[in-house]
Amino acid sequence: MRVDLNVSDLNTSNIQQFGSIIILDHNSHIIGISENALQDLKIHHIENVLDCSLRSLGSTIFGKHTNKIHRLLENIRDQIIPRQIIPIKLADKRVYLKLSLHDKQIFIEWEEQFKKHTSAEKINEFSFLLDNIQSNNWDLVCHAINRILHFDHVFVVKIDETGYSHVVAEDTTDGKHYYRNMEFSKSFMPNEVFPFYSMCSYRYSPNLKHINQKFYTNEQDFKLLESQLAPIPELHQIFLSEKEVVSALFFSIHIDGNFWGLLVAHHGKEKNIDLQQRKLCTFAIQNATSKYESYLKQNLLERNEILKTTEVDLKIDLLKSKSVNCALLKHMDIIMNMVNADGFALFNQGDVCLHGICPTKSQLYEIIAFIQAHTEKSLFKDNNFRDTHGSKIQGKLPFAGLMYLKVGLLNDQILIWFRKESGSTVLNLHLNQLSTEQNKPRIAITESINQDIAKSWNDIEINFVLTLNQILKESIVSKIKEKQQWNEQVVASNNELEMLTFTLSHDLKNPLSILKMGLQFLQNSKDVLNTVALQKWYSNLIASTESIEDIINNVVSLSQHKGSTLSKEPIPMAYNLQQIFNDSTLLDKNKSCEVEYGKLLPIWAEKSALYQIFSNLISNSIKYSTNSSTATLYIHSYFEEGQVCYLIQDNGIGIPKENLSQIFEIFKRGSNVKDIEGTGVGLSLVKRIMERLGGSVKIESEVNKGTTVYLYFPVVEDFPPSMLAD
């Protein structure tokens, strides 16, 4: 029998039909009551209930249980006990009475009891299943739950930080898989529905079509989320209706206190699940969750042990190596594997080393420029970078997600990890406009193959990256201090050499002044001397002046480099050589010169020293090939007897045979250079730097056929494999 009430002045909302609820304020006054509660208690006038004290109703509500229940309510109100569930007979029905406190409001709920007890056989069977559940086996959890529920579908959904929800396990009555490995799009779990599922251990709806019970209150904006009678979110109601689901259960899964996902049970018919069975399922899920947390912690301990070993090895190599980059190159494999990445890139002052599934070098430069333009954060991660930003990068990217780490405050040391796509089926939900036929919102469900979402980076992996960043920053600071100390020693040891250089410069500048004065004298005496004599004096004196100035500058350059100490690290050459060639063609104004590159191996050396060596040789090749119709250079390298050999070949004027034996002496030049500018210092400088690197240089040349220079660099130790990859 329905109750006819005058509720025009009250706030009402729809809740589920399967139970009853009364809500009290802190003073035990009734501030809310459901339609079923009014009917169960045979209350015909709501004004006799709302705002009344529960005690004033006497035994009208609870009969012979009144005193016991009032004592329990007082204990709950005073927070002596958090909640209580008792089976009693109420309104001629066996019910579960649930008492609980929520934000100073006391909830009194009851629902019908369908089973007096769970059989010992069922409990033993269930205990056996629980004992056999492995730490990371959610399929067995689904199976154990379904042995109690006997629903059509039971599956586990893990909610990722991307907003996507991934089905990781499933159990069905027909043995078929309907949702396994499927992903739900962000629209399936919007932020507003999270509190509904996360704040209770489970949510229950025996019949989704019965959400028509009225709840009455005189409070404004009353929230019923803490009650099991609260209806599930409208979006999910519509979705389940489209899937022809009538009965549903949602068990929340919390890992380390955080909402991790849901175990979901669907059934195509109305099905009442007794509270005992729901509690038993909750216990099973908590048991599985505890095992899973232990599994994660054990995994974290194991990875931490590996991390500690990696940290020690990396710190040792950072101390031994002359540069941070050199140490990182040795550990590219483990740095990539520690975060379960599919690719890893190391960017150091323009040089790039790639390992695994990576973009091209040109794409990497674009990616770095894009990230730096959009964020100043040292750590940046995006699991669907290709989908979100791929259109801004030239060419198709071979990865889906990335994690970017900038070491220090500058942009010259960057580490990037890459992950390929997950390639899963995604279920998309779209809420349509109101249907004119049924006057209710409908939902469009579409499936798509997602090729642009990578697996999320978890806390363990991010922790490794942050630890690595700290280690590298400490090492960089240490290297800077070492360099400062080295600079102080160099300054002290070069004082004497600098004094010698100053003296030499001063002694040569004196005759330079005399020559200039003589030149002025000759110019003033032009009327006395004939034209031929004057021109000869002018040419000789000016040429001498320019030569002396060149000598001063080049002797200073040689003396400054003589006292320096060259450290070595493995240096990739492709980028450096291209840069040197471009600079040289610009300086020598020979844009028509062409270059062909063979294999360009890395070199154990010091970067600035290599720049001096190759810039001198490439500049010479361009300068002495200007008379050729097509100036062409060929640069190639290969391994020879524990050394890396580089050859630089040109088609220039060549060097006369009689000059080859003296070509490395300072100020010596080929007799065929004619009016091509030069001082004869460049090759001498190259030879000295090569000797200080422990290497050697030789030249083969033939007049009008070109010159080939061979440079031999010792291999200090094996190069990292990634530097040798094509």
Side-chain angles (χ1 to χ4, degrees):
M1 179 181 71
R2 306 285 296 181
V3 181
D4 186 19
L5 300 170
N6 181 13
V7 293
S8 58
D9 297 329
L10 300 177
N11 295 313
T12 62
S13 58
N14 287 336
I15 59 175
Q16 295 196 74
Q17 187 72 38
F18 72 89
S20 305
I21 184 170
I22 297 174
I23 300 180
L24 311 176
D25 63 15
H26 199 61
N27 296 316
S28 296
H29 286 82
I30 298 173
I31 57 174
I33 190 167
S34 70
E35 189 174 3
N36 282 353
L38 291 169
Q39 293 179 27
D40 288 344
L41 304 173
K42 297 180 174 56
I43 297 174
H44 299 276
H45 301 286
I46 198 168
E47 60 269 19
N48 295 336
V49 178
L50 286 180
D51 289 332
C52 292
S53 169
L54 186 67
R55 285 190 176 276
S56 67
L57 297 177
S59 60
T60 305
I61 297 180
F62 303 118
K64 64 180 181 179
H65 305 289
T66 299
N67 291 333
K68 177 182 178 181
I69 290 171
H70 279 301
R71 285 197 303 271
L72 289 173
L73 288 174
E74 288 175 1
N75 288 336
I76 289 173
R77 183 193 61 193
D78 298 335
Q79 301 183 26
I80 296 173
I81 55 175
R83 63 183 60 85
Q84 187 74 40
I85 299 177
I86 55 173
I88 64 171
K89 195 169 184 179
L90 189 66
D92 298 323
K93 291 186 296 186
R94 290 199 314 272
V95 300
Y96 294 107
L97 185 69
K98 298 178 284 184
L99 312 174
S100 56
L101 180 68
H102 303 284
D103 193 24
K104 296 184 178 181
Q105 294 175 345
I106 299 174
F107 282 41
I108 305 172
E109 301 178 73
W110 62 92
E111 61 176 88
E112 188 173 355
Q113 181 181 357
F114 295 100
K115 288 190 176 185
K116 286 187 177 181
H117 62 273
T118 302
S119 68
E121 181 182 353
K122 179 65 73 174
I123 292 175
N124 289 335
E125 178 188 2
F126 187 66
S127 298
F128 175 77
L129 285 170
L130 288 183
D131 291 339
N132 283 276
I133 292 176
Q134 301 300 312
S135 57
N136 194 22
N137 192 340
W138 290 106
D139 281 300
L140 196 53
V141 177
C142 291
H143 180 67
I145 296 299
N146 215 12
R147 292 297 292 269
I148 300 173
L149 301 178
H150 302 290
F151 270 39
D152 295 333
H153 296 84
V154 177
F155 56 94
V156 172
V157 180
K158 181 182 183 300
I159 301 169
D160 294 329
E161 63 176 20
T162 59
Y164 283 75
S165 307
H166 181 65
V167 178
V168 298
E170 183 178 16
D171 184 84
T172 60
T173 53
D174 60 9
K176 296 179 182 179
H177 291 149
Y178 297 88
Y179 294 107
R180 181 184 289 276
N181 295 327
M182 183 175 285
E183 278 191 283
F184 294 94
S185 66
K186 298 177 183 179
S187 60
F188 181 75
M189 286 295 288
N191 291 334
E192 56 268 24
V193 308
F194 268 73
F196 177 81
Y197 294 106
S198 63
M199 71 189 313
C200 292
S201 58
Y202 69 88
R203 290 292 184 179
Y204 170 52
S205 184
N207 193 327
L208 290 163
K209 298 177 182 179
H210 293 170
I211 307 177
N212 52 8
Q213 179 186 180
K214 295 295 183 183
F215 176 79
Y216 305 99
T217 180
N218 50 15
E219 300 283 326
Q220 296 292 328
D221 300 323
F222 201 89
K223 303 296 182 184
L224 274 170
L225 279 184
E226 291 86 353
S227 171
Q228 283 296 334
L229 297 179
I232 68 172
E234 183 183 29
L235 177 71
H236 292 178
Q237 288 184 41
I238 300 170
F239 169 72
L240 294 173
S241 175
E242 292 286 340
K243 291 292 184 178
E244 298 182 349
V245 175
V246 176
S247 183
L249 265 164
F250 305 86
F251 296 91
S252 62
I253 301 173
H254 289 78
I255 304 296
D256 286 332
N258 297 314
F259 184 46
W260 181 88
L262 293 168
L263 186 143
V264 183
H266 289 171
H267 198 63
K269 296 179 181 179
E270 179 178 359
K271 195 163 189 177
N272 292 301
I273 304 298
D274 191 80
L275 180 64
Q276 289 185 65
Q277 293 174 293
R278 282 177 263 150
K279 290 294 183 182
L280 199 58
C281 291
T282 302
F283 171 72
I285 293 169
Q286 289 172 348
N287 178 277
T289 299
S290 178
K291 288 184 178 180
Y292 185 65
E293 286 179 334
S294 298
Y295 160 78
L296 289 179
K297 289 175 182 177
Q298 181 60 36
N299 185 266
L300 179 60
L301 288 174
E302 292 172 358
R303 289 180 66 85
N304 279 341
E305 287 300 316
I306 298 173
L307 177 59
K308 287 178 182 177
T309 303
T310 303
E311 285 181 26
V312 171
D313 292 343
L314 186 57
K315 285 179 178 179
I316 290 172
D317 280 335
L318 284 167
L319 287 172
K320 290 167 55 178
S321 301
K322 294 297 183 181
S323 72
V324 169
N325 199 53
C326 180
L328 288 175
L329 287 170
K330 293 181 183 179
H331 294 272
M332 287 187 78
D333 266 326
I334 196 164
I335 290 173
M336 182 177 80
N337 294 334
M338 283 300 293
V339 296
N340 292 315
D342 300 303
F344 176 61
L346 182 59
F347 175 91
N348 179 44
Q349 298 180 350
D351 293 330
V352 172
C353 286
L354 305 173
H355 187 60
I357 298 175
C358 294
T360 64
K361 290 185 179 180
S362 59
Q363 286 177 326
L364 188 74
Y365 294 139
E366 290 184 62
I367 290 168
I368 291 172
F370 173 80
I371 293 174
Q372 290 176 351
H374 285 76
T375 182
E376 295 181 356
K377 294 181 178 179
S378 296
L379 181 65
F380 169 84
K381 55 187 187 301
D382 190 337
N383 298 313
N384 58 338
F385 183 88
R386 181 169 64 193
D387 180 50
T388 309
H389 306 298
S391 60
K392 302 176 181 67
I393 310 299
Q394 292 292 323
K396 182 173 175 59
L397 297 174
F399 64 92
L402 63 76
M403 180 160 51
Y404 161 103
L405 176 68
K406 178 178 69 175
V407 181
L409 299 176
L410 302 178
N411 293 323
D412 56 356
Q413 184 83 56
I414 296 168
L415 286 65
I416 307 180
W417 292 264
F418 303 98
R419 272 186 178 166
K420 58 187 179 183
E421 67 277 0
S422 58
S424 56
T425 302
V426 177
L427 207 63
N428 303 287
L429 310 184
H430 304 284
L431 197 62
N432 295 332
Q433 297 298 322
L434 291 176
S435 169
T436 55
E437 296 180 1
Q438 298 178 329
N439 195 31
K440 67 176 183 178
R442 305 293 293 170
I443 195 167
I445 304 172
T446 60
E447 288 187 8
S448 61
I449 303 297
N450 190 347
Q451 295 291 349
D452 289 309
I453 298 292
K455 182 182 175 184
S456 302
W457 311 95
N458 62 39
D459 291 341
I460 297 172
E461 294 156 351
I462 294 171
N463 179 64
F464 170 76
V465 171
L466 294 175
T467 302
L468 177 64
N469 186 35
Q470 187 61 34
I471 292 171
L472 295 179
K473 286 196 290 187
E474 290 173 0
S475 179
I476 289 171
V477 171
S478 175
K479 298 293 181 190
I480 291 173
K481 290 180 179 178
E482 288 178 8
K483 191 171 183 180
Q484 289 174 341
Q485 293 173 354
W486 173 80
N487 285 338
E488 291 172 1
Q489 293 173 359
V490 169
V491 169
S493 61
N494 280 347
N495 281 339
E496 184 178 349
L497 182 59
E498 288 175 357
M499 183 60 69
L500 177 63
T501 302
F502 175 81
T503 302
L504 178 61
S505 301
H506 181 269
D507 289 345
L508 286 175
K509 285 181 179 179
N510 284 338
L512 177 62
S513 300
I514 294 172
L515 286 172
K516 287 184 178 179
M517 289 174 62
L519 182 60
Q520 293 172 352
F521 170 77
L522 289 174
Q523 287 177 329
N524 293 332
S525 304
K526 62 183 179 179
D527 295 331
V528 179
L529 300 173
N530 60 50
T531 304
V532 175
L534 281 173
Q535 188 60 44
K536 185 176 180 180
W537 274 98
Y538 291 157
S539 298
N540 290 339
L541 290 175
I542 292 173
S544 297
T545 302
E546 292 174 347
S547 296
I548 291 172
E549 288 178 338
D550 286 342
I551 289 170
I552 292 170
N553 293 332
N554 285 297
V555 168
V556 169
S557 177
L558 285 172
S559 64
Q560 287 176 337
H561 284 91
K562 187 175 181 180
S564 62
T565 302
L566 299 181
S567 58
K568 295 182 181 181
E569 65 178 293
I571 297 174
M573 293 303 298
Y575 178 87
N576 290 327
L577 289 173
Q578 291 169 10
Q579 201 67 29
I580 291 170
F581 175 80
N582 293 337
D583 291 345
S584 298
T585 53
L586 183 64
L587 290 172
D588 290 295
K589 299 178 181 178
N590 190 356
K591 296 181 180 178
S592 64
C593 184
E594 297 178 355
V595 63
E596 179 184 348
Y597 297 104
K599 189 173 185 64
L600 303 178
L601 295 168
I603 296 172
W604 278 95
E606 195 272 335
K607 193 169 184 178
S608 63
L610 287 184
Y611 181 85
Q612 285 184 283
I613 293 168
F614 283 96
S615 62
N616 268 290
L617 295 177
I618 291 174
S619 179
N620 279 352
S621 295
I622 294 172
K623 181 165 59 176
Y624 294 116
S625 300
T626 52
N627 295 332
S628 302
S629 58
T630 303
T632 304
L633 272 70
Y634 175 63
I635 303 175
H636 177 61
S637 65
Y638 51 89
F639 286 107
E640 180 177 306
E641 298 179 353
Q643 300 180 100
V644 172
C645 177
Y646 262 82
L647 65 87
I648 302 173
Q649 189 178 63
D650 63 52
N651 62 344
I653 64 174
I655 302 171
K657 186 176 181 179
E658 62 271 20
N659 297 136
L660 277 174
S661 60
Q662 299 176 318
I663 200 64
F664 291 113
E665 293 180 17
I666 191 169
F667 309 131
K668 296 290 185 180
R669 306 181 71 204
S671 58
N672 60 338
V673 296
K674 297 181 181 178
D675 58 347
I676 300 176
E677 294 182 357
T679 61
V681 173
L683 287 177
S684 176
L685 183 61
V686 167
K687 187 172 187 296
R688 291 191 185 189
I689 297 174
M690 285 298 296
E691 287 173 350
R692 284 165 45 222
L693 286 171
S696 59
V697 57
K698 73 174 184 178
I699 291 181
E700 294 177 355
S701 187
E702 191 172 344
V703 174
N704 296 325
K705 291 188 176 181
T707 300
T708 302
V709 180
Y710 296 86
L711 301 165
Y712 297 92
F713 300 91
V715 176
V716 176
E717 60 184 80
D718 291 343
F719 293 102
S722 58
M723 294 187 73
L724 301 177
D726 292 329

